Amino acid sequence: MPIDNAFKVRINKALNDSNLRGALGKFGDVFPESRANVYQGIDFEELRGIIARNKANAANNMEALVDQFEANIIKRGGQVHRAKDGNAVFQILKDIAKTRNAKKLVKSKSMASEEIHLNQHMEDTLQMVETDLGEWIIQQVNEKPSHMVMPAIHLSKEKCAEIFSQALGYKVEADIPNMVKLARKTLREHFMTADIGLSGCNIAVAETGTMCIFTNEGNARLTSSLPPVHVILVGYEKLAEKFSEIAPIAKALPKSATAQTLTSYLTMISGPAETLKDKEGPEIVKKELHVIFLDNGRRELLNDPIFKEAGQCIRCCSCLNVCPVYQLVGGHVFGHIYAGGIGSLLTGFFNSLQETDKVQEMCIGCGRCRDFCPGKIDIPNLILEMRNRVRKEIPLPGMQNFIVGSVLRNKGLFQFGLRQASWASAPFTTTGKDGNKYIRSLPFGFKKLTDWRSLPGFNSTPFREKIKSIKQEVTNKKGKVAFFGGCVIDYAYPEIGESLVRVLNKVGFEVVYPEQTCCGAPASYMGRPDVAKEIAMQNLQHFANDEFDYIVSACPTCTVALKEKWPKLLEGNQENKAIADVVAEKTLDFIKLMHTLKKAQGGAWNEVAATCDVACSAPIKVTYHDSCHLNRELGIKEEPREMLVAQSHLSFMEMEEADRCCGFGGSYCIKLPEISTELLNRKLRNIENSRAEVVAVDCPGCLMSLRGGLDTKKSNKRVLHCAQLLDGKY
Amino acid sequence: MGVYTGDWKLHLPEGAGAEELFKSFKEKAEALTVKVIRVDSKTNAEKAIIEEIKAANIKLAVGVPMTLVDALSIQESLKGDGIEFSLDLDRNLIEQAQFGVSQFDLGIAELGTIVQDAESVHKRLVSMLPPTHLAVISTKTIIETFADSLEVIEKVYNGEPSNFIAFVTGPSKTADIERVLTIGVHGPGRLIIVCVDE
Ligand code: SF4
Ligand code: SF4
């Protein structure tokens, strides 16, 4: 079942948890800066390129590498087991415990053990003691980790003190150094008396049989040294081919995880080191070393042509730390065992599609995580792929599925529907401070949509009609541009289209508006690539015309669809794919097209702008909001700024967090308005705090969201598309 | 099996132990709250160790046999001050000690990291259990990068690394409660490195 009321209750609970919000928010704010400091002087792109290559190579040779690894460990006297799933691990561990007559196991952090609920399944056989401080704390209250590096980040020190008091049987004050001291003492006793130590490992090198464990507390060292038996639980994705491949991971992991140059301890185990016989000695014997390779969906993942990329993850968690949605709700809502965007992918393989169903829906697709990922994983696009797979098994509920499957698919019905919206919404439309039409409140079940931001009034004459009556005067004609309007411009903001036509006319291009329908993005983002593909086909022929020098869109989401998604969707048919490639090649987002044309003409931006519509004595203060798709998917960041800076009528200034998602996300704001609101409010605060009068954007979706939010807040600031600014419509 | 006695010094990259490497090593380690002491001879190293142990105001310290300093002479000297410096492989005794001394094989300048072949259980217990650890390294074994250290290890062990190699970078720490950095969880909260120019 996709997002339902029960899940919404959990979301709201997280949103109202001030401890959680405070902790995650603060960390999210400081992390990018500390991380940037520690990466200073390092070429991150190069480094992650190496890591991604090595990990991909290891995935491709997984079976051979695990054999080589096993041979090395056996040669040294260790034992290697291969476990298909959790049950197999429990059995192996039970056998080890039985032979040894073991009573107690100390465990240093292992996410794989969490994934299979190891503690719960072994409790009857062994006393299981978590020794990582955060893990120990949450073990006392039977909770799951909410972050893979900082499992107890969701708990305040007061809550921790309560947990300590309960566990130790006396009152413990909320004093962090003192709690740490008590934990050291309590756990030291466990270490001294444990029969088995169990840990995870971060890297398993086939060439040498070396397992690397990174920790700060030092618990992995004690786990591997004090008990006479050491069991290491390794996922297949941890394999590396060569010993030298440790270096790039050791360089990236601590920096990306906790902004450290290296963790306090890096332990390399290549075989059973010596230990004291029966814990106490004095006789020195070889330790009993077991390595358990856990499959549990990993082989399928690593063999999957698309998802094997997720195997490049080194579990640094920087993707969680920077994710605007994770920062709001944490890993218990946005996560199953593994948290955040990457967690939703791993869960789909390690657990089940059912278990990732709701979790993967939390991603708004802003792409911020991808910029930070040292494994170079395209997390948001993999999540879309995961959504496709989930939706094949678990369809959307009736009405939503009907809209995607029938309305979007049927061109006529779709356009009819949007037109109906214009008259249906007319009675609710009012004029806002900026002179634009808004819907401030909708009746019935639609009220939720307008509670937190006004919607645009639908325009009675869509752009597709308006263009017919626009007189295009092109002096010095250089060519012809086909315009892909997109639903938002076509039906809500045709004036952006009109500005675009005038601006392009001015630089010598005639604009044509070929027959077209939706770009298919909404269907894609809702997990229906089949529908998106049909829609792409409906558009394709009309844009594959030699006459067009360029194809332009003023909506980055549509641009991404034409430029990146259509060729992929149509891969199955060579002929269509070839046409889609040509279309993709010619497609540019409006601001990029203007930049390209201006560059070719010597880059005189200021000549573009028409004379100002209003008489202004001083330049208008303008700031820029980056659309996620334009910035991170298309890599366009500097171009709009160059344009704004060059306009003599404008005075450009950056706002805080200009590239942070505004929370619109297309259908996301309908699916998860509670998250969207929070994201939007943060953006609005940044806008209010800037001294700008105008916010420039390149995405009509962001424009809709920002205008609606500012209208609700009765703000005087205005939001304009760059095409409007270049058209002098300040 | 057994303690590998291969000499790391024979496999160091060119330029190891250079003055600027020591400088960087010291700077990085100190940034992590590590106390770095440099001495020019074995005798002065022993003196420095004795002073540090005495300054800790404790009754029991533990150590392992070392090549850079003479553990027995340290033991002898401390006895006069009423401090036991035990070299015994006795787990419970080591656990009770407030101070451990062991020798490390390599220093990494870019990180302030020290590296040790820790196959020996004695070395491991002494460097892990007491709340303060004093590591002795030869200044000459300070190399530049982490990647260099991997190359040294590959050479020393001819492609078959020792069963247990420890990289230590600053004291044991945690930020698990409210992300507040707290020193000294399971490992030593205090780390002292004595660099001997020999
Ligand atoms: S794309 Fe954005 S919302 Fe989705 S996981 Fe990444 S950072 Fe989070
Ligand atoms: S997906 Fe990337 S950023 Fe996220 S934990 Fe894995 S390696 Fe780190």
Side-chain angles (χ1 to χ4, degrees):
Chain A
M1 184 66 188
I3 298 205
D4 52 17
N5 282 336
F7 194 69
K8 291 245 167 163
V9 170
R10 288 175 53 201
I11 293 174
N12 283 313
K13 195 166 154 240
L15 287 174
N16 289 321
D17 182 340
S18 53
N19 267 329
L20 176 77
R21 291 283 297 273
L24 295 176
K26 261 185 265 161
F27 185 52
D29 290 346
V30 298
F31 175 77
E33 205 185 315
S34 357
R35 177 195 167 277
N37 282 339
V38 74
Y39 264 114
Q40 235 168 46
I42 291 171
D43 185 339
F44 182 63
E45 283 311 317
E46 188 192 353
L47 179 62
R48 68 175 178 169
I50 297 170
I51 293 174
R53 209 169 44 240
N54 289 346
K55 297 280 285 179
N57 167 55
N60 290 337
N61 300 308
M62 167 177 54
E63 304 296 340
L65 293 183
V66 79
D67 287 345
Q68 189 187 4
F69 180 93
E70 178 170 313
N72 275 321
I73 291 290
I74 291 174
K75 197 166 73 192
R76 299 277 182 107
Q79 299 177 49
V80 178
H81 313 261
R82 304 192 190 193
K84 189 168 108 300
D85 54 17
N87 285 329
V89 175
F90 312 146
Q91 199 48 55
I92 295 163
L93 206 48
K94 278 179 186 163
D95 291 344
I96 296 170
K98 200 168 156 208
T99 329
R100 280 268 169 178
N101 194 19
K103 303 270 177 318
K104 186 188 288 187
L105 180 148
V106 280
K107 190 171 127 198
S108 101
K109 208 156 123 177
S110 148
M111 281 306 293
S113 74
E114 297 289 340
E115 161 196 336
I116 56 174
H117 305 286
L118 182 73
N119 291 354
Q120 196 184 316
H121 285 92
M122 293 301 299
E123 258 162 16
D124 291 344
T125 317
L126 285 163
Q127 183 190 357
M128 305 288 283
V129 184
E130 294 288 351
T131 63
D132 174 90
L133 178 58
E135 295 276 353
W136 180 78
I137 292 171
I138 59 172
Q139 188 190 20
Q140 307 311 308
V141 279
N142 260 322
E143 277 190 23
K144 283 191 270 179
S146 69
H147 187 284
M148 298 171 307
V149 173
M150 289 167 293
I153 190 170
H154 59 290
L155 300 173
S156 66
K157 65 174 189 286
E158 287 75 23
K159 181 76 199 161
C160 291
E162 264 174 47
I163 296 172
F164 267 84
S165 306
Q166 189 88 50
L168 304 181
Y170 55 84
K171 174 105 184 96
V172 174
E173 299 298 329
D175 167 31
I176 298 175
N178 185 48
M179 285 193 272
V180 171
K181 215 182 269 164
L182 289 174
R184 175 183 168 106
K185 191 163 158 272
T186 310
L187 287 164
R188 185 57 71 84
E189 281 167 30
H190 286 301
F191 276 122
M192 297 295 281
T193 50
D195 306 290
I196 301 178
L198 183 137
S199 69
C201 98
N202 302 82
I203 312 170
V205 182
E207 182 182 42
T208 53
T210 302
M211 288 162 284
C212 298
I213 311 173
F214 294 79
T215 69
N216 274 318
E217 297 182 2
N219 54 328
R221 275 160 49 96
L222 294 179
T223 302
S224 58
S225 290
L226 291 176
V229 183
H230 185 198
V231 181
I232 306 185
L233 188 57
V234 194
Y236 281 85
E237 79 283 14
K238 299 287 156 77
L239 282 164
E241 185 184 340
K242 297 207 165 67
F243 191 69
S244 58
E245 289 172 18
I246 296 169
I249 296 181
K251 198 172 199 170
L253 179 56
K255 294 186 180 72
S256 286
T258 43
Q260 286 175 281
T261 47
L262 188 59
T263 46
S264 301
Y265 304 107
L266 161 56
T267 301
M268 292 185 185
I269 295 174
S270 307
E274 56 181 44
T275 188
L276 293 174
K277 189 169 184 217
D278 299 328
K279 296 176 218 169
E280 304 264 341
E283 201 186 319
I284 296 174
V285 294
K286 209 174 217 200
K287 177 183 285 292
E288 185 178 327
L289 177 73
H290 297 268
V291 183
I292 307 178
F293 271 96
L294 176 66
D295 182 348
N296 208 35
R298 285 170 171 75
R299 288 171 122 129
E300 196 192 332
L301 175 95
L302 296 172
N303 283 320
D304 188 292
I306 292 168
F307 284 100
K308 67 172 166 202
E309 194 178 318
Q312 290 161 210
C313 172
I314 58 170
R315 305 280 191 279
C316 70
C317 283
S318 52
C319 56
L320 313 188
N321 302 343
V322 302
C323 170
V325 178
Y326 178 87
Q327 283 169 13
L328 290 174
V329 295
H332 287 156
V333 175
F334 192 2
H336 179 61
I337 304 283
Y338 295 92
I342 184 69
S344 73
L345 300 172
L346 299 178
T347 301
F349 283 86
F350 300 172
N351 303 91
S352 67
L353 290 178
Q354 270 75 21
E355 269 150 323
T356 197
D357 175 10
K358 296 176 179 64
V359 179
Q360 56 83 23
E361 289 283 357
M362 297 300 291
C363 168
I364 195 168
C366 73
R368 193 159 184 238
C369 51
R370 182 178 43 208
D371 285 359
F372 285 80
C373 175
K376 216 178 168 182
I377 304 170
D378 185 354
I379 302 166
N381 279 312
L382 287 180
I383 291 177
L384 290 182
E385 281 293 331
M386 180 56 74
R387 192 167 300 158
N388 296 343
R389 293 202 186 173
V390 171
R391 288 293 154 257
K392 261 187 212 149
E393 292 219 346
I394 315 158
L396 289 168
M399 190 60 190
Q400 284 177 47
N401 211 23
F402 168 74
I403 293 175
V404 192
S406 311
V407 182
L408 285 183
R409 177 181 270 150
N410 185 316
K411 222 165 34 166
L413 196 55
F414 173 62
Q415 277 153 22
F416 175 78
L418 283 175
R419 288 212 170 179
Q420 297 319 298
S422 85
W423 64 255
S425 63
F428 310 101
T429 308
T430 48
T431 305
K433 267 189 168 179
D434 59 1
N436 288 305
K437 295 250 180 290
Y438 289 99
I439 302 170
R440 293 213 172 108
S441 178
L442 283 173
F444 317 121
F446 300 112
K447 190 170 174 311
K448 259 219 207 113
L449 294 179
T450 49
D451 270 358
W452 46 285
R453 54 123 173 67
S454 315
L455 289 170
F458 278 85
N459 219 291
S460 51
T461 319
F463 182 76
R464 58 182 65 238
E465 296 301 328
K466 283 203 166 158
I467 178 112
K468 291 179 188 156
S469 54
I470 298 177
K471 269 224 175 65
Q472 299 198 38
E473 278 162 33
V474 189
T475 45
N476 207 347
K477 188 168 165 183
K478 298 199 180 70
K480 213 178 239 183
V481 173
F483 178 31
F484 189 92
C487 311
V488 183
I489 289 181
D490 197 359
Y491 291 96
Y493 303 116
E495 64 273 19
I496 296 176
E498 292 173 70
S499 281
L500 175 140
V501 173
R502 277 192 293 271
V503 172
L504 281 173
N505 285 172
K506 209 167 166 227
V507 291
F509 285 86
E510 184 196 336
V511 178
V512 276
Y513 201 73
E515 197 184 321
Q516 56 192 275
T517 181
C518 170
C519 69
S524 280
Y525 297 140
M526 287 166 97
R528 290 297 299 270
D530 53 326
V531 177
K533 187 173 158 185
E534 270 186 51
I535 294 173
M537 278 307 297
Q538 289 169 12
N539 284 308
L540 200 61
Q541 290 304 334
H542 305 292
F543 283 84
N545 187 330
D546 288 345
E547 255 192 297
F548 305 147
D549 299 286
Y550 297 100
I551 299 167
V552 70
S553 138
C555 168
T557 307
C558 300
T559 313
V560 169
L562 271 66
K563 224 176 159 48
E564 292 174 3
K565 308 272 174 187
W566 289 2
K568 276 202 195 117
L569 287 166
L570 301 173
E571 244 159 20
N573 178 312
Q574 260 193 6
E575 202 180 319
N576 292 337
K577 164 85 164 72
I579 303 173
D581 281 341
V582 175
V583 168
E585 182 66 35
K586 281 191 196 174
T587 301
L588 288 176
D589 196 81
F590 169 72
I591 195 73
K592 183 74 185 177
L593 173 63
M594 289 309 295
H595 193 260
T596 310
L597 295 176
K598 278 287 116 191
K599 236 179 155 175
Q601 296 169 11
W605 274 114
N606 45 353
E607 285 165 21
V608 180
T611 38
C612 209
D613 263 14
V614 287
C616 49
S617 45
I620 299 169
K621 297 192 196 76
V622 61
T623 190
Y624 185 75
H625 158 72
D626 291 276
S627 130
C628 296
H629 277 145
L630 190 71
N631 173 17
R632 284 182 283 264
E633 199 83 35
L634 295 166
I636 299 170
K637 193 169 172 69
E638 291 312 318
E639 290 85 342
R641 289 176 168 81
E642 264 178 45
M643 183 276 282
L644 292 170
V645 166
Q647 304 301 311
S648 52
H649 296 289
L650 305 176
S651 152
F652 175 71
M653 54 193 62
E654 287 284 356
M655 66 168 139
E656 288 286 312
E657 307 184 325
D659 66 357
R660 205 180 163 93
C661 179
C662 70
F664 176 65
S667 54
Y668 192 90
C669 64
I670 301 169
K671 175 175 75 181
L672 287 163
E674 39 288 90
I675 305 278
S676 282
T677 322
E678 295 289 337
L679 298 176
L680 177 61
N681 282 339
R682 181 161 175 158
K683 179 58 71 179
L684 295 177
R685 274 199 300 280
N686 284 323
I687 292 175
E688 282 304 333
N689 291 341
S690 79
R691 287 176 302 119
E693 304 154 65
V694 169
V695 185
V697 295
D698 271 299
C699 168
C702 299
L703 180 138
M704 181 194 300
S705 176
L706 298 181
R707 275 192 188 171
L710 290 169
D711 179 67
T712 313
K713 298 233 172 339
K714 305 266 176 294
S715 166
N716 287 321
K717 313 224 173 195
R718 291 173 302 132
V719 188
L720 290 166
H721 193 284
C722 281
Q724 294 174 293
L725 285 169
L726 281 176
D727 189 28
K729 302 282 173 220
Y730 306 140
Chain B
M1 201 207 114
V3 183
Y4 189 89
T5 50
D7 193 347
W8 291 50
K9 275 192 184 163
L10 297 176
H11 301 282
L12 300 175
E14 225 174 291
E19 210 44 45
E20 68 267 21
L21 292 183
F22 171 76
K23 249 179 77 191
S24 155
F25 174 81
K26 181 172 152 76
E27 194 187 304
K28 301 287 170 174
E30 283 176 347
L32 298 163
T33 75
V34 177
K35 181 169 180 185
V36 180
I37 304 167
R38 186 172 183 179
V39 290
D40 57 0
S41 68
K42 188 171 177 169
T43 327
N44 283 336
E46 287 159 9
K47 255 196 212 149
I49 295 170
I50 291 164
E51 264 169 43
E52 285 301 322
I53 295 178
K54 280 189 348 200
N57 204 9
I58 49 160
K59 286 269 159 284
L60 173 65
V62 289
V64 291
M66 289 167 274
T67 58
L68 288 168
V69 290
D70 182 0
L72 287 171
S73 98
I74 296 172
Q75 190 177 50
E76 220 19 69
S77 164
L78 283 169
K79 206 183 273 169
D81 299 296
I83 301 170
E84 183 188 350
F85 183 58
S86 166
L87 299 171
D88 295 347
L89 176 47
D90 175 339
R91 198 169 90 136
N92 294 323
L93 187 85
I94 296 172
E95 211 278 323
Q96 279 155 30
Q98 293 296 306
F99 203 108
V101 183
S102 76
Q103 181 171 319
F104 276 65
D105 301 295
L106 211 63
I108 303 176
E110 65 168 358
L111 300 165
T113 301
I114 46 178
V115 188
Q116 180 182 55
D117 178 329
E119 162 77 47
S120 148
V121 64
H122 196 184
K123 270 195 209 170
R124 264 182 283 142
L125 296 177
V126 163
S127 69
M128 289 175 193
L129 295 178
T132 299
H133 188 67
L134 187 151
V136 189
I137 68 165
S138 158
T139 316
K140 290 183 184 141
T141 61
I142 298 178
I143 57 168
E144 193 179 351
T145 68
F146 180 85
D148 291 344
S149 76
L150 295 183
E151 275 183 36
V152 173
I153 292 169
E154 289 206 87
K155 285 186 196 148
V156 173
Y157 300 98
N158 200 12
E160 297 183 0
S162 155
N163 287 329
F164 201 114
I165 295 177
F167 288 68
V168 176
T169 312
S172 151
K173 51 179 140 345
T174 185
D176 270 359
I177 304 179
E178 289 197 350
R179 299 184 307 104
V180 176
L181 189 70
T182 314
I183 299 290
V185 199
H186 297 298
R190 221 174 127 226
L191 181 62
I192 304 163
I193 303 176
V194 173
C195 301
V196 200
D197 292 349
E198 287 212 339

